[in-house]
Amino acid sequence: ASFDTLQPPVIVVLPMENLGVEKHAYLVNGIGEELTAELSRCSGIRVVAFCSSARSATLSGDARERASSLGADFALSGTLRRSGERLRINVHLLNVENGEQLWAERFDEDLVPSRLFEIEDRIVRKVLGQVSDTYGVISRTMSLRAEGRCVSEPSAYEAILRSLHYQLTMAPE
């Protein structure tokens, strides 16, 4: 592919920051692993392996620097906090190129050990729907990148992005 052709974006799921009790690290890693696995099933995006992003957590630098070092265009990160028997999980989508936070969601859950998989599944479904869906944040962001680009022979991916942009704006341009 030539340099003037848009390529499917790369996303990395960075390990969440555990701001609560250390014994909840398994939940933080579980959400990261599940998000990575489910994102890898989505067409139109490439995903950095969770083991690679987990190793990057030992490096210095903020989320944007770590994601950039892994070649990502977008990064999912977040935090987990506990208050009594309640969990608060925040998830953020970052545009690695410019540092812009594109999306965020907060999940408040009761800490019921027998329901941890249900909590993970609910969070993963919501994040996938908002972030990687056909009309999700990543698709909309990439369609804006395709807007106004003048290329004589767009790639199939770029043609799809232009079609999506048209569907979102319904403007003749």
Side-chain angles (χ1 to χ4, degrees):
S2 66
F3 290 107
D4 63 341
T5 302
L6 288 176
Q7 297 295 317
V10 176
I11 187 168
V12 63
V13 179
L14 297 170
M16 291 186 170
E17 188 176 353
N18 183 3
L19 303 176
V21 181
E22 186 57 37
K23 69 179 184 178
H24 294 110
Y26 67 91
L27 181 58
V28 169
N29 288 330
I31 292 170
E33 289 174 348
E34 289 295 320
L35 276 170
T36 301
E38 292 301 319
L39 284 165
S40 70
R41 292 180 178 94
C42 298
S43 61
I45 59 173
R46 296 173 292 159
V47 184
V48 174
F50 188 71
C51 61
S52 297
S53 69
R55 278 194 297 271
S56 80
T58 63
L59 303 174
S60 62
D62 64 10
R64 183 177 176 197
E65 292 169 330
R66 292 193 331 264
S68 180
S69 74
L70 292 167
D73 301 300
F74 299 95
L76 276 168
S77 64
T79 59
L80 177 136
R81 292 179 284 165
R82 178 181 175 186
S83 176
E85 295 303 310
R86 296 281 294 162
L87 293 174
R88 174 163 286 172
I89 300 164
N90 288 291
V91 182
H92 317 274
L93 179 68
L94 174 73
N95 182 335
V96 174
E97 180 181 21
N98 61 17
E100 178 183 7
Q101 181 173 305
L102 299 171
W103 174 85
E105 186 76 36
R106 182 182 81 204
F107 301 90
D108 290 322
E109 301 284 346
D110 290 322
L111 179 57
V112 179
S114 64
R115 292 186 48 238
L116 290 180
F117 288 147
E118 290 174 37
I119 293 169
E120 281 182 11
D121 291 346
R122 186 172 30 261
I123 292 169
V124 168
R125 276 193 309 271
K126 176 76 173 188
V127 172
L128 287 175
Q130 295 295 313
V131 170
S132 63
D133 183 81
T134 301
Y135 298 102
V137 177
I138 292 175
S139 294
R140 291 192 317 263
T141 302
M142 293 303 293
S143 75
L144 289 173
R145 289 184 187 174
E147 176 189 22
R149 287 174 42 94
C150 184
V151 287
S152 58
E153 295 181 30
S155 67
Y157 178 68
E158 192 161 4
I160 290 169
L161 289 176
R162 288 175 180 219
S163 172
L164 175 62
H165 180 71
Y166 174 73
Q167 292 173 22
L168 292 171
T169 62
M170 293 299 226
E173 298 82 38

